[in-house]
mmCIF file of all heavy atoms in Angstrom:
data_model
loop_
_atom_site.group_PDB
_atom_site.id
_atom_site.type_symbol
_atom_site.label_atom_id
_atom_site.label_comp_id
_atom_site.label_asym_id
_atom_site.label_seq_id
_atom_site.Cartn_x
_atom_site.Cartn_y
_atom_site.Cartn_z
ATOM 1 N N ALA R 256 10.371 5.511 -16.842
ATOM 2 C CA ALA R 256 11.131 4.837 -17.901
ATOM 3 C C ALA R 256 10.131 4.316 -18.925
ATOM 4 O O ALA R 256 9.809 4.998 -19.885
ATOM 5 C CB ALA R 256 11.991 3.715 -17.320
ATOM 6 N N ILE R 257 9.558 3.131 -18.673
ATOM 7 C CA ILE R 257 8.652 2.537 -19.657
ATOM 8 C C ILE R 257 7.401 3.379 -19.845
ATOM 9 O O ILE R 257 6.914 3.547 -20.954
ATOM 10 C CB ILE R 257 8.295 1.092 -19.274
ATOM 11 C CG1 ILE R 257 9.592 0.270 -19.232
ATOM 12 C CG2 ILE R 257 7.284 0.506 -20.259
ATOM 13 C CD1 ILE R 257 9.484 -1.173 -19.559
ATOM 14 N N GLY R 258 6.869 3.962 -18.750
ATOM 15 C CA GLY R 258 5.607 4.699 -18.857
ATOM 16 C C GLY R 258 5.770 6.193 -19.038
ATOM 17 O O GLY R 258 4.810 6.942 -18.841
ATOM 18 N N PHE R 259 6.949 6.648 -19.445
ATOM 19 C CA PHE R 259 7.180 8.092 -19.559
ATOM 20 C C PHE R 259 6.098 8.770 -20.405
ATOM 21 O O PHE R 259 5.542 9.797 -20.033
ATOM 22 C CB PHE R 259 8.568 8.342 -20.177
ATOM 23 C CG PHE R 259 8.876 9.792 -20.415
ATOM 24 C CD1 PHE R 259 9.301 10.604 -19.377
ATOM 25 C CD2 PHE R 259 8.728 10.353 -21.677
ATOM 26 C CE1 PHE R 259 9.575 11.951 -19.592
ATOM 27 C CE2 PHE R 259 8.996 11.695 -21.899
ATOM 28 C CZ PHE R 259 9.429 12.498 -20.856
ATOM 29 N N SER R 260 5.803 8.167 -21.530
ATOM 30 C CA SER R 260 4.852 8.779 -22.460
ATOM 31 C C SER R 260 3.454 8.890 -21.835
ATOM 32 O O SER R 260 2.846 9.954 -21.847
ATOM 33 C CB SER R 260 4.806 7.944 -23.746
ATOM 34 O OG SER R 260 3.806 8.414 -24.593
ATOM 35 N N GLU R 261 2.961 7.768 -21.266
ATOM 36 C CA GLU R 261 1.611 7.793 -20.670
ATOM 37 C C GLU R 261 1.557 8.788 -19.519
ATOM 38 O O GLU R 261 0.583 9.524 -19.356
ATOM 39 C CB GLU R 261 1.226 6.401 -20.159
ATOM 40 C CG GLU R 261 0.830 5.434 -21.249
ATOM 41 C CD GLU R 261 2.017 4.898 -22.040
ATOM 42 O OE1 GLU R 261 3.167 5.131 -21.624
ATOM 43 O OE2 GLU R 261 1.789 4.267 -23.089
ATOM 44 N N THR R 262 2.619 8.791 -18.680
ATOM 45 C CA THR R 262 2.645 9.692 -17.523
ATOM 46 C C THR R 262 2.595 11.140 -17.995
ATOM 47 O O THR R 262 1.784 11.941 -17.520
ATOM 48 C CB THR R 262 3.934 9.441 -16.702
ATOM 49 O OG1 THR R 262 3.965 8.070 -16.323
ATOM 50 C CG2 THR R 262 3.971 10.313 -15.457
ATOM 51 N N LEU R 263 3.443 11.492 -18.954
ATOM 52 C CA LEU R 263 3.541 12.886 -19.378
ATOM 53 C C LEU R 263 2.310 13.310 -20.186
ATOM 54 O O LEU R 263 1.811 14.425 -20.022
ATOM 55 C CB LEU R 263 4.823 13.100 -20.181
ATOM 56 C CG LEU R 263 5.170 14.567 -20.443
ATOM 57 C CD1 LEU R 263 5.362 15.337 -19.134
ATOM 58 C CD2 LEU R 263 6.433 14.680 -21.282
ATOM 59 N N TYR R 264 1.786 12.418 -21.049
ATOM 60 C CA TYR R 264 0.639 12.820 -21.871
ATOM 61 C C TYR R 264 -0.627 13.025 -21.044
ATOM 62 O O TYR R 264 -1.471 13.853 -21.406
ATOM 63 C CB TYR R 264 0.411 11.843 -23.038
ATOM 64 C CG TYR R 264 1.135 12.337 -24.270
ATOM 65 C CD1 TYR R 264 2.346 11.796 -24.665
ATOM 66 C CD2 TYR R 264 0.624 13.409 -25.000
ATOM 67 C CE1 TYR R 264 3.031 12.289 -25.760
ATOM 68 C CE2 TYR R 264 1.305 13.916 -26.099
ATOM 69 C CZ TYR R 264 2.507 13.357 -26.484
ATOM 70 O OH TYR R 264 3.187 13.858 -27.554
ATOM 71 N N ALA R 265 -0.755 12.310 -19.925
ATOM 72 C CA ALA R 265 -1.911 12.569 -19.058
ATOM 73 C C ALA R 265 -1.828 14.009 -18.544
ATOM 74 O O ALA R 265 -2.848 14.714 -18.444
ATOM 75 C CB ALA R 265 -1.937 11.578 -17.899
ATOM 76 N N ALA R 266 -0.611 14.464 -18.246
ATOM 77 C CA ALA R 266 -0.426 15.847 -17.782
ATOM 78 C C ALA R 266 -0.623 16.824 -18.936
ATOM 79 O O ALA R 266 -1.264 17.871 -18.774
ATOM 80 C CB ALA R 266 0.963 16.005 -17.168
ATOM 81 N N ILE R 267 -0.084 16.488 -20.112
ATOM 82 C CA ILE R 267 -0.211 17.393 -21.270
ATOM 83 C C ILE R 267 -1.691 17.623 -21.594
ATOM 84 O O ILE R 267 -2.103 18.731 -21.903
ATOM 85 C CB ILE R 267 0.554 16.808 -22.486
ATOM 86 C CG1 ILE R 267 2.061 16.914 -22.241
ATOM 87 C CG2 ILE R 267 0.149 17.511 -23.791
ATOM 88 C CD1 ILE R 267 2.932 16.224 -23.281
ATOM 89 N N ARG R 268 -2.495 16.572 -21.460
ATOM 90 C CA ARG R 268 -3.934 16.714 -21.738
ATOM 91 C C ARG R 268 -4.694 17.228 -20.525
ATOM 92 O O ARG R 268 -5.916 17.365 -20.569
ATOM 93 C CB ARG R 268 -4.515 15.365 -22.196
ATOM 94 C CG ARG R 268 -3.957 14.848 -23.523
ATOM 95 C CD ARG R 268 -4.795 13.675 -24.049
ATOM 96 N NE ARG R 268 -4.985 12.644 -23.035
ATOM 97 C CZ ARG R 268 -4.198 11.585 -22.874
ATOM 98 N NH1 ARG R 268 -3.180 11.384 -23.685
ATOM 99 N NH2 ARG R 268 -4.451 10.710 -21.915
ATOM 100 N N ASN R 269 -3.981 17.492 -19.435
ATOM 101 C CA ASN R 269 -4.601 17.979 -18.192
ATOM 102 C C ASN R 269 -5.753 17.089 -17.761
ATOM 103 O O ASN R 269 -6.837 17.562 -17.415
ATOM 104 C CB ASN R 269 -5.056 19.439 -18.351
ATOM 105 C CG ASN R 269 -5.330 20.096 -17.004
ATOM 106 O OD1 ASN R 269 -4.811 19.663 -15.966
ATOM 107 N ND2 ASN R 269 -6.151 21.127 -17.000
ATOM 108 N N GLU R 270 -5.516 15.774 -17.791
ATOM 109 C CA GLU R 270 -6.537 14.810 -17.376
ATOM 110 C C GLU R 270 -6.778 14.959 -15.874
ATOM 111 O O GLU R 270 -5.853 15.156 -15.098
ATOM 112 C CB GLU R 270 -6.065 13.375 -17.673
ATOM 113 C CG GLU R 270 -5.814 13.091 -19.150
ATOM 114 C CD GLU R 270 -7.090 12.865 -19.961
ATOM 115 O OE1 GLU R 270 -8.176 12.806 -19.364
ATOM 116 O OE2 GLU R 270 -6.963 12.731 -21.200
ATOM 117 N N ASN R 271 -8.021 14.825 -15.467
ATOM 118 C CA ASN R 271 -8.392 15.082 -14.072
ATOM 119 C C ASN R 271 -8.150 13.857 -13.175
ATOM 120 O O ASN R 271 -9.072 13.290 -12.605
ATOM 121 C CB ASN R 271 -9.865 15.513 -14.030
ATOM 122 C CG ASN R 271 -10.207 16.214 -12.738
ATOM 123 O OD1 ASN R 271 -9.336 16.777 -12.082
ATOM 124 N ND2 ASN R 271 -11.465 16.156 -12.357
ATOM 125 N N ILE R 272 -6.871 13.455 -13.078
ATOM 126 C CA ILE R 272 -6.491 12.330 -12.211
ATOM 127 C C ILE R 272 -5.342 12.785 -11.306
ATOM 128 O O ILE R 272 -4.747 13.839 -11.538
ATOM 129 C CB ILE R 272 -6.019 11.100 -13.028
ATOM 130 C CG1 ILE R 272 -4.789 11.464 -13.901
ATOM 131 C CG2 ILE R 272 -7.151 10.550 -13.892
ATOM 132 C CD1 ILE R 272 -4.074 10.267 -14.509
ATOM 133 N N THR R 273 -5.040 11.973 -10.294
ATOM 134 C CA THR R 273 -3.921 12.263 -9.397
ATOM 135 C C THR R 273 -2.860 11.185 -9.566
ATOM 136 O O THR R 273 -3.170 9.991 -9.482
ATOM 137 C CB THR R 273 -4.396 12.297 -7.930
ATOM 138 O OG1 THR R 273 -5.375 13.325 -7.799
ATOM 139 C CG2 THR R 273 -3.243 12.561 -6.974
ATOM 140 N N ALA R 274 -1.619 11.599 -9.815
ATOM 141 C CA ALA R 274 -0.510 10.646 -9.947
ATOM 142 C C ALA R 274 0.397 10.763 -8.730
ATOM 143 O O ALA R 274 0.825 11.860 -8.382
ATOM 144 C CB ALA R 274 0.275 10.945 -11.226
ATOM 145 N N ILE R 275 0.659 9.627 -8.075
ATOM 146 C CA ILE R 275 1.653 9.568 -7.004
ATOM 147 C C ILE R 275 2.848 8.822 -7.586
ATOM 148 O O ILE R 275 2.745 7.639 -7.927
ATOM 149 C CB ILE R 275 1.136 8.784 -5.769
ATOM 150 C CG1 ILE R 275 -0.257 9.262 -5.346
ATOM 151 C CG2 ILE R 275 2.140 8.837 -4.613
ATOM 152 C CD1 ILE R 275 -0.326 10.530 -4.594
ATOM 153 N N LEU R 276 3.979 9.526 -7.738
ATOM 154 C CA LEU R 276 5.158 8.925 -8.367
ATOM 155 C C LEU R 276 6.273 8.816 -7.323
ATOM 156 O O LEU R 276 6.724 9.828 -6.785
ATOM 157 C CB LEU R 276 5.619 9.770 -9.557
ATOM 158 C CG LEU R 276 4.566 10.054 -10.645
ATOM 159 C CD1 LEU R 276 5.213 10.752 -11.837
ATOM 160 C CD2 LEU R 276 3.836 8.797 -11.098
ATOM 161 N N VAL R 277 6.680 7.587 -7.052
ATOM 162 C CA VAL R 277 7.643 7.345 -5.973
ATOM 163 C C VAL R 277 9.057 7.264 -6.557
ATOM 164 O O VAL R 277 9.386 6.314 -7.283
ATOM 165 C CB VAL R 277 7.283 6.049 -5.216
ATOM 166 C CG1 VAL R 277 8.300 5.784 -4.111
ATOM 167 C CG2 VAL R 277 5.874 6.165 -4.638
ATOM 168 N N ASN R 278 9.858 8.264 -6.232
ATOM 169 C CA ASN R 278 11.224 8.354 -6.752
ATOM 170 C C ASN R 278 12.196 7.798 -5.710
ATOM 171 O O ASN R 278 12.541 8.476 -4.744
ATOM 172 C CB ASN R 278 11.527 9.826 -7.070
ATOM 173 C CG ASN R 278 12.968 10.054 -7.498
ATOM 174 O OD1 ASN R 278 13.814 9.159 -7.395
ATOM 175 N ND2 ASN R 278 13.268 11.256 -7.968
ATOM 176 N N ASN R 279 12.598 6.524 -5.922
ATOM 177 C CA ASN R 279 13.632 5.964 -5.043
ATOM 178 C C ASN R 279 14.938 5.759 -5.825
ATOM 179 O O ASN R 279 15.845 5.059 -5.370
ATOM 180 C CB ASN R 279 13.156 4.671 -4.348
ATOM 181 C CG ASN R 279 12.764 3.577 -5.345
ATOM 182 O OD1 ASN R 279 13.093 3.660 -6.523
ATOM 183 N ND2 ASN R 279 12.080 2.565 -4.872
ATOM 184 N N GLY R 280 15.005 6.352 -7.005
ATOM 185 C CA GLY R 280 16.262 6.394 -7.747
ATOM 186 C C GLY R 280 16.728 5.073 -8.333
ATOM 187 O O GLY R 280 17.874 4.954 -8.763
#
Side-chain angles (χ1 to χ4, degrees):
Chain R
I257 300 210
F259 177 80
S260 174
E261 284 75 10
T262 303
L263 191 60
Y264 267 101
I267 289 173
R268 295 192 309 268
N269 196 23
E270 299 283 354
N271 198 25
I272 60 168
T273 299
I275 311 282
L276 305 187
V277 179
N278 175 350
N279 59 15

